[in-house]
Amino acid sequence: MIRTAVGTVPVPGSEAVAPPRRATALLLAVVVALTGLTLVLGYVNKARCTGPEFDAQGRSAPDYENRKDLDVCYSDIQHLWIGRDIDEHVFPYVDGGIAADGTLTGGTVEYPVLTGLIMWLAALGAHTDAGFLLASALIMAPFGLATGWLLGRLSRWRALLWALGPPLVLYAFHNWDLPVVACAVGAVFVLHGMRSRWSLRRRGTVAAVLLGLGFALKLYPGAFVLPLALYVLTRGEDRVPGGRLDWWGATRVAGAAALTVVAVNLPFAVAGFDGWRASFTFQQLRKVDFTTNSFWFWAFRPYSEPDDVAFQDLVSWLSPTLVVASFLLAAGVGLWRMRRLGAYPWVAVSAAMLCGFLLLHKVHSPQYTLWLLPFFVLLRVPWGVVAGYLVADVVMGIGIFRWLYDVRAGVDLEITQGLAAQAVAVGVWGRAALLVALFVLFLRVPPTFPLRPPPRGEADAAVPAEPAAADTGDTDTGDTDTGDAGGPAAAIAAGPPGQGGAAQAREPVGDQPGSAAAAP
C-alpha cells in the first residue's frame, strides 16, 4: 500500500489494507504460543541426557559420556557443568585465567561476559547438571519468545519459521544463544518495526546499543554495526541520490555500540584482566579438529590434524582474514545495490556477513543455525533454499553426534567408514555450498518488512495518519537528523503550492525493497 499525508490508499498489486489490530494480536499470540511449545520440545530433547542418577559432582549417570552422543541429546549447557567451576558457583572471570595447555581456570568460561553472567546465575540454585540445564532454559526461554514476537511484528506469518523450525528443537538449549539472537532481531525491530517518532539517527543509536549488548553475549552482532552505520550514513529510507551524508549519525551509531561494549566489559577487565582476557585467548588458540564442524578439517585432510603445527598456524590467520574480507565484500555490494534499491540494505548485508563468518570461521558450532534462522524470516529467501539448508543442518546436527560416538568406539574417522561419518560430510559440504548461495541471495532478495516503521499512534487498521511534514524528527542543533526532517517524504507531503499537506506523500510499505527515495 502507499501511506499518504492524509491516510492510506490501496495501490494495485499491493496489500490493499493493513491487517486489523485484532488479526495482528491473534497472529502474535499464535506465533508466541507455538514458539513456547517448540521451546518445551527443545528442552525435553536435551533433558533426555540428564539423570536418572547423579555422581558426587552432580554429573548425570549412568554412562553419560556415551548417552550424550548415541542418543543425540548433547548440550554444552549440561556438559560444561563440570570443568569451568560452574558447579562450584565461582563468579566468572575475576579470579580466572588460562593455563599453558589452554585449560580455563578460576571460573573463566570461553564466552563473552554477559553469557558468563547468565551461566553463573543459572548455576546459583543448581546442584546437578540437570538443574543447571533447567535453570538455563528458564532464563533463556523469554528471549526465545520475545524473538518470535518481534519477528511476528516485523514479518507476520513468516515468523512461523522461527516458531516451528527444527533448529529451535535441536539448539534452543544447546548453548546460551537465545539472548544474543533476541538482541540482533531487536535491533532490526527498533529500526523498522517500533512505533515511534524517533529520528533515524536516534533509532540507529538504540539499535547499536542492542548490537553492542549482543557482542557482549556472543560477539557476532558486533559485525552488524558496520552495515547499520552505513544505513544511517546514507540516511536510510530518506536517502536522496547525491544528497548529504550523515557522518555524525554514523559516528554516533558506531560510538554507541563501542561504548556499550566497553561499559559491559570494563568492570570485568579491571576486576580480573587475566580471566577476562582468557575467554578471548581460548578462542584464538582453538585448533581445527573433528569437533569444529567446519570445512577446514574435511577439505584439508590429512594436514588438518591438530598436531600439524604449520597447518594450524596457517588457518589461525587465514580464517579471520577471509572472514573480514567477506564482511567488506558484503558491505561493498550493499553500496552498489543501494543505487537500485534506494536505501542501503543493512539487514541483507548483515545476513551476508553472517554467512561469510559461518562459512570461513574455523569453528562452526551446531547452534549457529539459530543465528541464521531469523534472516530466513526477515528476507524473502526462496522456500526451497530455506528447506535445503534446514535439511542439511538436521543431517549434520544428528550425524555429528552419532559420528562422535563411533569415533569414541574406535571407528575410523574417514567418511567411507559408516553412515554417520558420511552424514557429517554431506552436512558439512551441503551447508558450505548453501552458505555461498545464501551470501549472494541475501544481497538480492527484498525484505519481508516495511523499511519505514509505522508512526506512533497509528492503528493497525487503515486510519488517517498525521501529515508526514509534522514529523520533523530532531532539529539541526543537538540531536540533528535532517534526513528525517527534510527527506523526500516530507518534501512530497508538503506538496506543490496550493495543495499543502493534502498531497500524497508516497512511501512503499509491505514487502517492498525500495524506500521513500526513488532509485537513480
Side-chain angles (χ1 to χ4, degrees):
M1 85 179 57
I2 289 179
R3 185 180 294 121
T4 71
V6 295
T8 53
V9 294
V11 175
S14 72
E15 298 177 4
V17 295
R21 179 173 299 176
R22 187 171 300 177
T24 297
L26 175 62
L27 179 153
L28 295 176
V30 170
V31 170
V32 172
L34 291 176
T35 301
L37 177 61
T38 307
L39 289 173
V40 170
L41 295 176
Y43 171 74
V44 171
N45 178 46
K46 298 302 184 182
R48 292 184 295 118
C49 269
T50 62
E53 303 170 6
F54 302 92
D55 62 19
Q57 291 183 289
R59 171 65 77 205
S60 290
D63 200 23
Y64 163 76
E65 288 298 328
N66 284 327
R67 287 166 53 201
K68 64 183 176 63
D69 295 329
L70 180 62
D71 296 340
V72 194
C73 55
Y74 170 87
S75 73
D76 290 332
I77 298 175
Q78 181 186 5
H79 191 70
L80 291 179
W81 171 252
I82 304 296
R84 300 290 187 272
D85 292 326
I86 295 172
D87 58 321
E88 301 293 335
H89 311 292
V90 175
F91 191 80
Y93 309 106
V94 174
D95 298 313
I98 187 168
D101 63 353
T103 302
L104 294 170
T105 61
T108 295
V109 297
E110 56 266 49
Y111 307 113
V113 295
L114 288 185
T115 295
L117 280 180
I118 291 174
M119 297 166 69
W120 175 73
L121 287 171
L124 283 180
H127 302 286
T128 66
D129 58 5
F132 183 49
L133 175 64
L134 176 59
S136 296
L138 292 174
I139 290 174
M140 291 191 295
F143 292 98
L145 296 173
T147 300
W149 186 88
L150 293 169
L151 290 172
R153 281 289 303 272
L154 285 163
S155 301
R156 300 192 61 76
W157 290 109
R158 195 174 175 101
L160 289 176
L161 181 59
W162 168 265
L164 299 176
L168 212 58
V169 176
L170 292 173
Y171 312 124
F173 305 117
H174 185 94
N175 200 287
W176 295 268
D177 289 271
L178 291 180
V180 68
V181 174
C183 284
V185 176
V188 179
F189 178 77
V190 168
L191 260 294
H192 303 291
M194 185 176 70
R195 302 184 190 282
S196 172
R197 294 190 184 278
W198 286 356
S199 65
L200 170 61
R201 183 183 293 171
R202 185 174 297 174
R203 284 182 280 133
T205 301
V206 175
V209 170
L210 287 172
L211 295 179
L213 292 173
F215 181 89
L217 283 160
K218 280 296 182 74
L219 299 186
Y220 83 90
F224 303 162
V225 175
L226 172 60
L228 174 60
L230 289 173
Y231 181 75
V232 175
L233 174 68
T234 55
R235 300 187 179 274
E237 62 269 17
D238 288 318
R239 171 181 174 266
V240 177
R244 288 189 307 162
L245 299 176
D246 186 6
W247 289 103
W248 170 239
T251 301
R252 197 166 85 168
V253 164
L259 286 175
T260 301
V261 172
V262 171
V264 173
N265 282 272
L266 186 60
F268 292 90
V270 171
F273 181 81
D274 290 341
W276 171 80
R277 181 69 181 88
S279 63
F280 297 97
T281 304
F282 179 92
Q283 299 297 342
Q284 292 171 351
L285 296 177
R286 188 167 181 182
K287 297 180 178 180
V288 173
D289 60 23
F290 64 86
T291 68
T292 58
N293 297 334
S294 70
F295 86 96
W296 292 103
F297 176 76
W298 288 102
F300 297 98
R301 299 208 53 168
Y303 307 105
S304 55
E305 294 298 331
D307 57 0
D308 190 324
V309 177
F311 176 81
Q312 297 294 336
D313 289 344
L314 173 65
V315 174
S316 292
W317 69 263
L318 182 59
S319 172
T321 299
L322 292 177
V323 168
V324 172
S326 72
F327 288 177
L328 296 177
L329 176 61
V333 172
L335 289 171
W336 178 72
R337 290 282 293 164
M338 178 181 67
R339 299 178 59 187
R340 179 175 182 271
L341 299 175
Y344 186 80
W346 82 276
V347 176
V349 170
S350 298
M353 292 170 72
L354 181 58
C355 288
F357 175 85
L358 297 181
L359 175 65
L360 299 169
H361 188 47
K362 61 182 178 180
V363 178
H364 191 130
S365 295
Q367 77 276 5
Y368 290 175
T369 304
L370 289 177
W371 304 358
L372 193 63
L373 189 60
F375 289 111
F376 289 150
V377 176
L378 295 170
L379 298 168
R380 197 164 293 284
V381 180
W383 287 113
V385 178
V386 174
Y389 190 89
L390 295 182
V391 168
D393 181 72
V394 169
V395 170
M396 180 68 180
I398 295 175
I400 184 64
F401 295 108
R402 294 304 298 263
W403 181 62
L404 289 174
Y405 173 79
D406 289 344
V407 170
R408 192 170 287 107
V411 177
D412 197 336
L413 295 180
E414 302 304 325
I415 63 171
T416 56
Q417 304 296 320
L419 181 62
Q422 295 176 43
V424 172
V426 169
V428 167
W429 290 110
R431 187 176 60 192
L434 285 165
L435 284 172
V436 173
L438 285 169
F439 184 95
V440 176
L441 274 174
F442 278 142
L443 293 168
R444 293 178 58 87
V445 297
T448 58
F449 54 86
L451 289 180
R452 189 181 297 275
R456 179 189 296 174
E458 179 184 288
D460 288 335
V463 296
E466 293 189 18
D471 186 7
T472 58
D474 301 315
T475 64
D476 285 339
T477 60
D479 190 19
T480 307
D481 194 345
T482 56
D484 279 16
I492 299 174
Q499 294 183 5
Q504 293 183 348
R506 297 193 174 186
E507 172 200 341
V509 298
D511 295 328
Q512 300 294 330
S515 71

